């Protein structure tokens, strides 16, 4: 009978993010707001956007923002966004090189194999 295992448990790989809203940035790029439904997103990670029409395109998560759980009305910029995070996994993700018209509510961002950290 084995009581303990010293092998590392496999970390959850990948993520899924449901887009709910989009905002163009004055200096270029877009912020997509929504919910991490699976896994963990890291700042600098590559993603693939799967649109409602079935097309797809690549993008990079430049920054992550969420409401500060300790200070109402303020935001923080964590290095990762988690499905099990505060506010039921709701975050805003800054994506450079894209604009608001590239995204629609209901689109999904899914993890890509590479990162640009």
């Amino acid at each position: 009978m084995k009581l303990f295992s010293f092998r590392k448990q496999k970390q959850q790989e990948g993520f899924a993010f449901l887009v709910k809203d989009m905002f163009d940035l004055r200096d270029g790029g877009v912020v997509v707001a929504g919910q991490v439904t699976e896994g963990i997103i890291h700042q600098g990670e590559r993603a693939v956007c799967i649109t409602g029409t079935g097309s797809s395109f690549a993008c990079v998560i430049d920054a992550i923002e969420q409401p500060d759980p300790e200070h109402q009305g303020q935001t923080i910029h964590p290095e990762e966004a988690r499905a099990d995070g505060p506010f039921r996994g709701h975050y805003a993700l800054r994506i450079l090189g894209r604009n608001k018209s590239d995204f629609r509510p209901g689109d999904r961002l899914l993890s890509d194999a590479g990162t640009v950290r």
Side-chain angles (χ1 to χ4, degrees):
M1 182 165 109
K2 192 174 192 177
L3 295 176
F4 299 99
S5 174
F6 291 101
R7 292 186 319 180
K8 284 187 177 181
Q9 296 215 352
K10 185 176 179 182
Q11 299 251 341
Q12 183 176 7
E13 296 179 10
F15 65 83
F17 181 86
L18 178 62
V19 175
K20 296 185 178 181
D21 206 351
M22 303 77 52
F23 307 93
D24 272 326
L25 296 173
R26 206 174 297 161
D27 297 333
V30 63
V31 170
V32 293
Q35 183 177 16
V36 180
T37 58
E38 295 177 33
I40 301 170
I41 301 172
H42 295 93
Q43 181 179 345
E45 197 161 10
R46 292 179 193 216
V48 175
C49 180
I50 308 297
T51 68
T53 62
S55 63
S56 65
F57 58 86
C59 54
V60 176
I61 310 304
D62 181 62
I64 300 168
E65 183 176 276
Q66 76 176 106
D68 186 336
E70 298 179 11
H71 301 97
Q72 187 174 355
Q74 296 182 21
T75 59
I76 58 174
H77 296 89
E79 292 185 12
E80 65 181 28
R82 307 175 65 90
D84 62 354
F87 305 102
R88 296 182 317 216
H90 286 84
Y91 294 87
L93 308 176
R94 183 173 67 199
I95 299 172
L96 301 179
R98 294 284 173 183
N99 46 37
K100 181 179 175 179
S101 63
D102 293 334
F103 299 90
R104 298 275 182 270
D107 288 353
R108 296 186 64 80
L109 296 177
L110 303 176
S111 56
D112 193 0
T115 60
V116 292
R117 288 186 203 157

